[in-house]
Amino acid sequence: MNVRLVPVGRFERATSIARSKRPAGEAACPFGRVRRFGRLPVKLDVPLTNTGAAMIRSMTAFARKDAQGDWGTLTCEIRTVNHRYLEPSFRLPEAFRELENRFREELRKQGLKRGKVDISMRLQSAESDVQGFEISDEMARAVNEAANHINRMLDNPAHINALDILRWPGVMSLPEKDYSAAKEAATELFADTVAELMSVREREGERLRPLFEDRLATMGKLVAEVREKMPQLLAAQEQNLKERFERAKVELDPERVAQEMVMLAQKSDVAEELERLDAHISEVTDTLKNDDTIGRRLDFLMQELNREANTLSSKSIDAAVTRIAVDLKVLIEQMREQVQNLE
């Protein structure tokens, strides 16, 4: 029986669909996400900004700035953590409540797009700015007369003291202060603090770039190693089947045997998985070069990479391939943990 087990598919290195040929003169437009349609990845026409030296931004950061003036000392603190959307929360002095909408606009203006943002601003008035209380004599006299009137009706009256009268609403108040200068300073201070926050987010994100590049390079080598091993592994599987048939010494229909061997080859073929792994690795690399919010896109690609690694493991016909699939999943998980913190 002369039957040859032919690998289904190609084991040459797949050309990334992100680098497909374009007509002359047409600008490159790398696709935003890769989604599974049937068994092959397809591209979605989501244009991305490609500025060359893009910055990776972390969603975890902290910034603090102070400002001083005749009105006192202003302190602004901003903390951000990872979140699916942009969710700012403000703790402002009562006199600055009207600035909240302006602060929200400043966050968007400076490019903050994702993260839970906690903003705290405190105002400590200058000692020279402390003003005395205003006492309403008429209100105090009215409160005292009302209390005396009630006391005359009681058997055991309890006389009120001056502090009781001062606690009554409207008796004592603070004079209206002019916060216009402090508000202008608060607006400028907030803009400076947000700018500092963005710098911190970029620095934190750039520290993760070597991690991604190292993992992606290792994954590319592992995929190439599997691709190199597959022809030999399939040939060994073919020889193993032939030896089993010979040991069984059973007369089998050669055509039927050939069909069974082709079906077995199809079940163990991982050419498509390797091609998609290459495509996703290339897309992650391209995404890291885009100056845009890449966190969600990378999270989606991590899911796709993990799915292909799982499929590769389930189709494995050799311990070495299984080990490589496990190594791929470990690398993907390491990247996924960091992707959760990217804007």
Side-chain angles (χ1 to χ4, degrees), residues 180-203:
S180 57
K183 290 177 182 178
E184 293 180 4
T187 302
E188 183 178 350
L189 176 64
F190 182 77
D192 293 342
T193 309
V194 174
E196 175 65 21
L197 180 78
M198 295 298 291
S199 298
V200 174
R201 284 162 69 101
E202 290 178 353
R203 289 197 299 270

PDB file of all heavy atoms in Angstrom, residues 180-203:
ATOM      1  N   SER A 180     -13.077  85.472  42.545  1.00  0.00           N
ATOM      2  CA  SER A 180     -12.791  85.521  41.109  1.00  0.00           C
ATOM      3  C   SER A 180     -11.317  85.246  40.806  1.00  0.00           C
ATOM      4  O   SER A 180     -10.983  84.476  39.905  1.00  0.00           O
ATOM      5  CB  SER A 180     -13.210  86.869  40.533  1.00  0.00           C
ATOM      6  OG  SER A 180     -12.553  87.933  41.222  1.00  0.00           O
ATOM      7  N   ALA A 181     -10.411  85.836  41.575  1.00  0.00           N
ATOM      8  CA  ALA A 181      -8.979  85.610  41.347  1.00  0.00           C
ATOM      9  C   ALA A 181      -8.603  84.170  41.659  1.00  0.00           C
ATOM     10  O   ALA A 181      -7.811  83.547  40.939  1.00  0.00           O
ATOM     11  CB  ALA A 181      -8.152  86.577  42.202  1.00  0.00           C
ATOM     12  N   ALA A 182      -9.177  83.627  42.724  1.00  0.00           N
ATOM     13  CA  ALA A 182      -8.880  82.243  43.087  1.00  0.00           C
ATOM     14  C   ALA A 182      -9.423  81.286  42.035  1.00  0.00           C
ATOM     15  O   ALA A 182      -8.794  80.253  41.741  1.00  0.00           O
ATOM     16  CB  ALA A 182      -9.465  81.922  44.455  1.00  0.00           C
ATOM     17  N   LYS A 183     -10.573  81.582  41.437  1.00  0.00           N
ATOM     18  CA  LYS A 183     -11.145  80.723  40.403  1.00  0.00           C
ATOM     19  C   LYS A 183     -10.264  80.699  39.157  1.00  0.00           C
ATOM     20  O   LYS A 183     -10.064  79.657  38.538  1.00  0.00           O
ATOM     21  CB  LYS A 183     -12.556  81.185  40.058  1.00  0.00           C
ATOM     22  CG  LYS A 183     -13.571  80.926  41.163  1.00  0.00           C
ATOM     23  CD  LYS A 183     -14.931  81.472  40.779  1.00  0.00           C
ATOM     24  CE  LYS A 183     -15.939  81.260  41.912  1.00  0.00           C
ATOM     25  NZ  LYS A 183     -17.273  81.834  41.586  1.00  0.00           N
ATOM     26  N   GLU A 184      -9.760  81.861  38.775  1.00  0.00           N
ATOM     27  CA  GLU A 184      -8.853  81.908  37.621  1.00  0.00           C
ATOM     28  C   GLU A 184      -7.590  81.094  37.894  1.00  0.00           C
ATOM     29  O   GLU A 184      -7.111  80.359  37.028  1.00  0.00           O
ATOM     30  CB  GLU A 184      -8.497  83.361  37.307  1.00  0.00           C
ATOM     31  CG  GLU A 184      -9.651  84.193  36.800  1.00  0.00           C
ATOM     32  CD  GLU A 184      -9.231  85.618  36.512  1.00  0.00           C
ATOM     33  OE1 GLU A 184      -8.014  85.910  36.643  1.00  0.00           O
ATOM     34  OE2 GLU A 184     -10.102  86.446  36.157  1.00  0.00           O
ATOM     35  N   ALA A 185      -7.067  81.217  39.106  1.00  0.00           N
ATOM     36  CA  ALA A 185      -5.883  80.447  39.473  1.00  0.00           C
ATOM     37  C   ALA A 185      -6.197  78.954  39.503  1.00  0.00           C
ATOM     38  O   ALA A 185      -5.367  78.127  39.108  1.00  0.00           O
ATOM     39  CB  ALA A 185      -5.356  80.904  40.827  1.00  0.00           C
ATOM     40  N   ALA A 186      -7.392  78.594  39.961  1.00  0.00           N
ATOM     41  CA  ALA A 186      -7.789  77.178  40.013  1.00  0.00           C
ATOM     42  C   ALA A 186      -7.881  76.585  38.607  1.00  0.00           C
ATOM     43  O   ALA A 186      -7.475  75.445  38.375  1.00  0.00           O
ATOM     44  CB  ALA A 186      -9.115  77.041  40.744  1.00  0.00           C
ATOM     45  N   THR A 187      -8.420  77.356  37.668  1.00  0.00           N
ATOM     46  CA  THR A 187      -8.522  76.870  36.287  1.00  0.00           C
ATOM     47  C   THR A 187      -7.144  76.624  35.686  1.00  0.00           C
ATOM     48  O   THR A 187      -6.900  75.590  35.044  1.00  0.00           O
ATOM     49  CB  THR A 187      -9.290  77.890  35.430  1.00  0.00           C
ATOM     50  OG1 THR A 187     -10.582  78.108  35.993  1.00  0.00           O
ATOM     51  CG2 THR A 187      -9.435  77.396  34.006  1.00  0.00           C
ATOM     52  N   GLU A 188      -6.226  77.549  35.896  1.00  0.00           N
ATOM     53  CA  GLU A 188      -4.869  77.386  35.376  1.00  0.00           C
ATOM     54  C   GLU A 188      -4.141  76.243  36.082  1.00  0.00           C
ATOM     55  O   GLU A 188      -3.433  75.452  35.442  1.00  0.00           O
ATOM     56  CB  GLU A 188      -4.099  78.686  35.551  1.00  0.00           C
ATOM     57  CG  GLU A 188      -2.689  78.651  34.980  1.00  0.00           C
ATOM     58  CD  GLU A 188      -1.971  79.973  35.126  1.00  0.00           C
ATOM     59  OE1 GLU A 188      -2.636  80.969  35.504  1.00  0.00           O
ATOM     60  OE2 GLU A 188      -0.758  80.018  34.878  1.00  0.00           O
ATOM     61  N   LEU A 189      -4.328  76.140  37.396  1.00  0.00           N
ATOM     62  CA  LEU A 189      -3.683  75.067  38.148  1.00  0.00           C
ATOM     63  C   LEU A 189      -4.185  73.706  37.703  1.00  0.00           C
ATOM     64  O   LEU A 189      -3.399  72.750  37.561  1.00  0.00           O
ATOM     65  CB  LEU A 189      -3.951  75.260  39.643  1.00  0.00           C
ATOM     66  CG  LEU A 189      -3.413  74.162  40.574  1.00  0.00           C
ATOM     67  CD1 LEU A 189      -1.895  74.116  40.531  1.00  0.00           C
ATOM     68  CD2 LEU A 189      -3.907  74.384  42.005  1.00  0.00           C
ATOM     69  N   PHE A 190      -5.490  73.592  37.451  1.00  0.00           N
ATOM     70  CA  PHE A 190      -6.047  72.315  37.010  1.00  0.00           C
ATOM     71  C   PHE A 190      -5.474  71.907  35.660  1.00  0.00           C
ATOM     72  O   PHE A 190      -5.120  70.735  35.449  1.00  0.00           O
ATOM     73  CB  PHE A 190      -7.568  72.414  36.930  1.00  0.00           C
ATOM     74  CG  PHE A 190      -8.235  71.128  36.526  1.00  0.00           C
ATOM     75  CD1 PHE A 190      -8.381  70.093  37.428  1.00  0.00           C
ATOM     76  CD2 PHE A 190      -8.704  70.951  35.235  1.00  0.00           C
ATOM     77  CE1 PHE A 190      -8.984  68.895  37.058  1.00  0.00           C
ATOM     78  CE2 PHE A 190      -9.309  69.771  34.848  1.00  0.00           C
ATOM     79  CZ  PHE A 190      -9.454  68.742  35.764  1.00  0.00           C
ATOM     80  N   ALA A 191      -5.362  72.852  34.724  1.00  0.00           N
ATOM     81  CA  ALA A 191      -4.793  72.545  33.409  1.00  0.00           C
ATOM     82  C   ALA A 191      -3.349  72.062  33.543  1.00  0.00           C
ATOM     83  O   ALA A 191      -2.934  71.101  32.883  1.00  0.00           O
ATOM     84  CB  ALA A 191      -4.878  73.760  32.498  1.00  0.00           C
ATOM     85  N   ASP A 192      -2.563  72.704  34.397  1.00  0.00           N
ATOM     86  CA  ASP A 192      -1.173  72.292  34.605  1.00  0.00           C
ATOM     87  C   ASP A 192      -1.099  70.900  35.231  1.00  0.00           C
ATOM     88  O   ASP A 192      -0.227  70.094  34.876  1.00  0.00           O
ATOM     89  CB  ASP A 192      -0.447  73.303  35.493  1.00  0.00           C
ATOM     90  CG  ASP A 192      -0.265  74.647  34.823  1.00  0.00           C
ATOM     91  OD1 ASP A 192      -0.384  74.710  33.577  1.00  0.00           O
ATOM     92  OD2 ASP A 192      -0.023  75.638  35.540  1.00  0.00           O
ATOM     93  N   THR A 193      -2.007  70.608  36.155  1.00  0.00           N
ATOM     94  CA  THR A 193      -1.996  69.298  36.811  1.00  0.00           C
ATOM     95  C   THR A 193      -2.374  68.193  35.828  1.00  0.00           C
ATOM     96  O   THR A 193      -1.790  67.110  35.850  1.00  0.00           O
ATOM     97  CB  THR A 193      -2.962  69.294  38.008  1.00  0.00           C
ATOM     98  OG1 THR A 193      -2.705  70.417  38.847  1.00  0.00           O
ATOM     99  CG2 THR A 193      -2.788  68.022  38.827  1.00  0.00           C
ATOM    100  N   VAL A 194      -3.345  68.466  34.974  1.00  0.00           N
ATOM    101  CA  VAL A 194      -3.731  67.472  33.961  1.00  0.00           C
ATOM    102  C   VAL A 194      -2.572  67.217  32.998  1.00  0.00           C
ATOM    103  O   VAL A 194      -2.310  66.075  32.606  1.00  0.00           O
ATOM    104  CB  VAL A 194      -4.988  67.932  33.197  1.00  0.00           C
ATOM    105  CG1 VAL A 194      -5.304  66.965  32.056  1.00  0.00           C
ATOM    106  CG2 VAL A 194      -6.178  68.019  34.140  1.00  0.00           C
ATOM    107  N   ALA A 195      -1.865  68.279  32.606  1.00  0.00           N
ATOM    108  CA  ALA A 195      -0.711  68.117  31.722  1.00  0.00           C
ATOM    109  C   ALA A 195       0.357  67.239  32.380  1.00  0.00           C
ATOM    110  O   ALA A 195       0.952  66.365  31.737  1.00  0.00           O
ATOM    111  CB  ALA A 195      -0.135  69.478  31.348  1.00  0.00           C
ATOM    112  N   GLU A 196       0.599  67.467  33.669  1.00  0.00           N
ATOM    113  CA  GLU A 196       1.554  66.637  34.403  1.00  0.00           C
ATOM    114  C   GLU A 196       1.063  65.198  34.479  1.00  0.00           C
ATOM    115  O   GLU A 196       1.846  64.242  34.335  1.00  0.00           O
ATOM    116  CB  GLU A 196       1.754  67.207  35.813  1.00  0.00           C
ATOM    117  CG  GLU A 196       2.645  66.366  36.713  1.00  0.00           C
ATOM    118  CD  GLU A 196       4.079  66.275  36.223  1.00  0.00           C
ATOM    119  OE1 GLU A 196       4.498  67.150  35.430  1.00  0.00           O
ATOM    120  OE2 GLU A 196       4.778  65.329  36.621  1.00  0.00           O
ATOM    121  N   LEU A 197      -0.242  65.015  34.681  1.00  0.00           N
ATOM    122  CA  LEU A 197      -0.813  63.662  34.731  1.00  0.00           C
ATOM    123  C   LEU A 197      -0.600  62.938  33.405  1.00  0.00           C
ATOM    124  O   LEU A 197      -0.242  61.748  33.386  1.00  0.00           O
ATOM    125  CB  LEU A 197      -2.302  63.753  35.052  1.00  0.00           C
ATOM    126  CG  LEU A 197      -3.038  62.419  35.144  1.00  0.00           C
ATOM    127  CD1 LEU A 197      -2.760  61.750  36.482  1.00  0.00           C
ATOM    128  CD2 LEU A 197      -4.550  62.613  34.955  1.00  0.00           C
ATOM    129  N   MET A 198      -0.825  63.622  32.297  1.00  0.00           N
ATOM    130  CA  MET A 198      -0.644  62.999  30.983  1.00  0.00           C
ATOM    131  C   MET A 198       0.812  62.583  30.781  1.00  0.00           C
ATOM    132  O   MET A 198       1.089  61.518  30.213  1.00  0.00           O
ATOM    133  CB  MET A 198      -1.083  63.954  29.884  1.00  0.00           C
ATOM    134  CG  MET A 198      -2.569  64.278  29.900  1.00  0.00           C
ATOM    135  SD  MET A 198      -3.600  62.824  29.641  1.00  0.00           S
ATOM    136  CE  MET A 198      -3.218  62.455  27.925  1.00  0.00           C
ATOM    137  N   SER A 199       1.745  63.404  31.246  1.00  0.00           N
ATOM    138  CA  SER A 199       3.166  63.047  31.132  1.00  0.00           C
ATOM    139  C   SER A 199       3.478  61.796  31.946  1.00  0.00           C
ATOM    140  O   SER A 199       4.216  60.909  31.485  1.00  0.00           O
ATOM    141  CB  SER A 199       4.039  64.212  31.606  1.00  0.00           C
ATOM    142  OG  SER A 199       3.847  65.355  30.805  1.00  0.00           O
ATOM    143  N   VAL A 200       2.902  61.706  33.137  1.00  0.00           N
ATOM    144  CA  VAL A 200       3.134  60.526  33.978  1.00  0.00           C
ATOM    145  C   VAL A 200       2.539  59.288  33.317  1.00  0.00           C
ATOM    146  O   VAL A 200       3.160  58.213  33.296  1.00  0.00           O
ATOM    147  CB  VAL A 200       2.525  60.735  35.375  1.00  0.00           C
ATOM    148  CG1 VAL A 200       2.620  59.461  36.208  1.00  0.00           C
ATOM    149  CG2 VAL A 200       3.227  61.881  36.099  1.00  0.00           C
ATOM    150  N   ARG A 201       1.341  59.417  32.754  1.00  0.00           N
ATOM    151  CA  ARG A 201       0.705  58.272  32.077  1.00  0.00           C
ATOM    152  C   ARG A 201       1.546  57.791  30.900  1.00  0.00           C
ATOM    153  O   ARG A 201       1.666  56.585  30.657  1.00  0.00           O
ATOM    154  CB  ARG A 201      -0.698  58.673  31.611  1.00  0.00           C
ATOM    155  CG  ARG A 201      -1.717  58.727  32.744  1.00  0.00           C
ATOM    156  CD  ARG A 201      -2.934  59.525  32.350  1.00  0.00           C
ATOM    157  NE  ARG A 201      -3.752  58.885  31.331  1.00  0.00           N
ATOM    158  CZ  ARG A 201      -4.885  58.215  31.588  1.00  0.00           C
ATOM    159  NH1 ARG A 201      -5.304  58.090  32.832  1.00  0.00           N
ATOM    160  NH2 ARG A 201      -5.595  57.689  30.617  1.00  0.00           N
ATOM    161  N   GLU A 202       2.117  58.731  30.166  1.00  0.00           N
ATOM    162  CA  GLU A 202       2.949  58.352  29.026  1.00  0.00           C
ATOM    163  C   GLU A 202       4.242  57.675  29.485  1.00  0.00           C
ATOM    164  O   GLU A 202       4.684  56.691  28.884  1.00  0.00           O
ATOM    165  CB  GLU A 202       3.251  59.582  28.175  1.00  0.00           C
ATOM    166  CG  GLU A 202       2.035  60.105  27.421  1.00  0.00           C
ATOM    167  CD  GLU A 202       2.344  61.360  26.625  1.00  0.00           C
ATOM    168  OE1 GLU A 202       3.479  61.883  26.775  1.00  0.00           O
ATOM    169  OE2 GLU A 202       1.472  61.809  25.857  1.00  0.00           O
ATOM    170  N   ARG A 203       4.842  58.208  30.541  1.00  0.00           N
ATOM    171  CA  ARG A 203       6.074  57.577  31.044  1.00  0.00           C
ATOM    172  C   ARG A 203       5.804  56.163  31.544  1.00  0.00           C
ATOM    173  O   ARG A 203       6.584  55.239  31.272  1.00  0.00           O
ATOM    174  CB  ARG A 203       6.681  58.430  32.158  1.00  0.00           C
ATOM    175  CG  ARG A 203       7.287  59.733  31.685  1.00  0.00           C
ATOM    176  CD  ARG A 203       8.225  60.316  32.749  1.00  0.00           C
ATOM    177  NE  ARG A 203       7.531  60.602  33.994  1.00  0.00           N
ATOM    178  CZ  ARG A 203       6.959  61.770  34.274  1.00  0.00           C
ATOM    179  NH1 ARG A 203       6.986  62.750  33.382  1.00  0.00           N
ATOM    180  NH2 ARG A 203       6.370  61.975  35.441  1.00  0.00           N
TER     181      ARG A 203
END
